[in-house]
């Protein structure tokens, strides 16, 4: 069985260069590849196009790359709580492609499945549909959306084995699974890395064939973007 383990995050990110397109899993601050994002900041690559649901917050997650002006374009569904993201977008410093959240997920999944394009009713009659092919299905208008084309997909999982099989935990199972295998190279950082054959096959969410590199991360903060509790 092929061992896809790399020794550290720096080795995992080998080959990422200026101007590349990256997919990054997570939803807000939930299930983001913390180690990889921090290493990308240190690596100093810039002019990046990042495909991610949003850009985290100002001082954490993709917000760290935005602070260093390393991102040229964000393809997202939500500006979120990131004031710097909003500032750069409104000032024209950052190119932003805002698309419906379901379309974002499906464009990832289509790339994963090798499907070049699909039709969806989401966005028809709005700016989202401008310049796109339109067809009618069962009396309803749909627009054509193309699958994403990315150089690297970087995801975060709870457990993984040396063959690249992954298990996600709770709501961290958001955009991470559909980004696996949706780029030329998929990098998975995991909280716990075990030997192949250790994981229960019935619990595996993503098979190792969709992952090229895997490493064990460390010192996860797992911040909560908005903590809401019931009043006593």
């Amino acid at each position: 069985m092929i061992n896809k383990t790399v020794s550290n995050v720096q080795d995992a990110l080998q080959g990422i260069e200026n101007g590349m397109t990256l997919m990054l899993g997570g939803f807000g601050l939930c299930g983001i590849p913390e180690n990889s994002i921090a290493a990308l900041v240190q690596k100093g690559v810039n002019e990046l196009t990042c495909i991610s649901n949003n850009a985290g917050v100002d001082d954490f997650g993709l917000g760290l790359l935005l602070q260093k002006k390393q991102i040229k374009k964000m393809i997202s569904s939500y500006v979120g709580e990131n004031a710097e993201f909003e500032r750069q977008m409104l000032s024209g410093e950052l190119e932003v492609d805002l698309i419906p959240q379901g379309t974002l997920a499906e464009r990832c999944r289509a790339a994963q499945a090798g499907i070049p394009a699909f039709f969806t009713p989401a966005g028809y009659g709005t700016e989202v549909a401008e310049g796109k092919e339109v067809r009618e299905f069962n009396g309803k208008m749909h627009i054509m959306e193309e699958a994403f084309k990315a150089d690297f997909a970087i995801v975060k999982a709870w457990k993984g084995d040396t063959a690249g099989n992954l298990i996600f935990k709770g709501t961290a199972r958001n955009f991470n699974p559909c980004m696996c295998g949706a780029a030329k190279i998929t990098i998975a950082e995991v909280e716990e890395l075990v030997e192949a054959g250790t994981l229960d096959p019935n619990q595996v969410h993503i098979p190792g064939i969709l992952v090229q590199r895997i490493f064990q991360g460390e010192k996860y903060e797992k911040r909560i973007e908005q903590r809401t509790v019931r009043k006593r």
Side-chain angles (χ1 to χ4, degrees), residues 6 26 74 114 119 132 137-138 162 168 200 228:
V6 293
M74 281 295 308
F119 283 91
K132 296 176 181 175
F137 294 93
N138 301 317
T162 55
F168 302 93
D200 179 354
T228 303

Side-chain angles (χ1 to χ4, degrees), residues 6-110:
V6 293
S7 57
N8 53 50
V9 64
Q10 288 77 23
D11 288 345
L13 299 182
Q14 284 293 321
I16 296 181
E17 301 174 352
N18 295 346
M20 283 189 166
T21 298
L22 310 180
M23 288 181 169
L24 296 113
F27 188 98
L29 301 181
C30 179
I32 64 172
E34 296 179 29
N35 288 256
S36 296
I37 292 172
L40 285 171
V41 174
Q42 295 178 347
K43 191 176 176 68
V45 287
N46 52 48
E47 295 291 303
L48 298 172
T49 294
C50 291
I51 301 168
S52 186
N53 179 68
N54 54 32
V57 294
D58 292 281
D59 63 342
F60 195 62
L62 287 179
L64 298 172
L65 287 167
L66 283 172
Q67 282 186 347
K68 299 289 186 180
K69 305 291 182 66
Q70 292 172 260
I71 300 177
K72 175 186 69 174
K73 180 178 181 179
M74 281 295 308
I75 300 176
S76 306
S77 67
Y78 179 55
V79 174
E81 307 297 324
N82 194 317
E84 179 62 15
F85 183 3
E86 181 182 13
R87 187 197 68 76
Q88 289 187 26
M89 180 179 73
L90 295 176
S91 67
E93 298 173 42
L94 177 69
E95 186 179 350
V96 178
D97 188 1
L98 288 175
I99 60 178
Q101 196 166 80
T103 301
L104 179 73
E106 189 64 12
R107 288 178 71 181
C108 293
R109 195 196 67 81

Side-chain angles (χ1 to χ4, degrees), residues 12 14 150-154 183-187 210 212-213:
Q14 284 293 321
D151 298 294
F152 284 82
I154 307 174
K184 295 175 183 176
I185 295 176
T186 296
I187 301 167
L210 297 180
Q212 281 72 49
R213 303 174 190 172

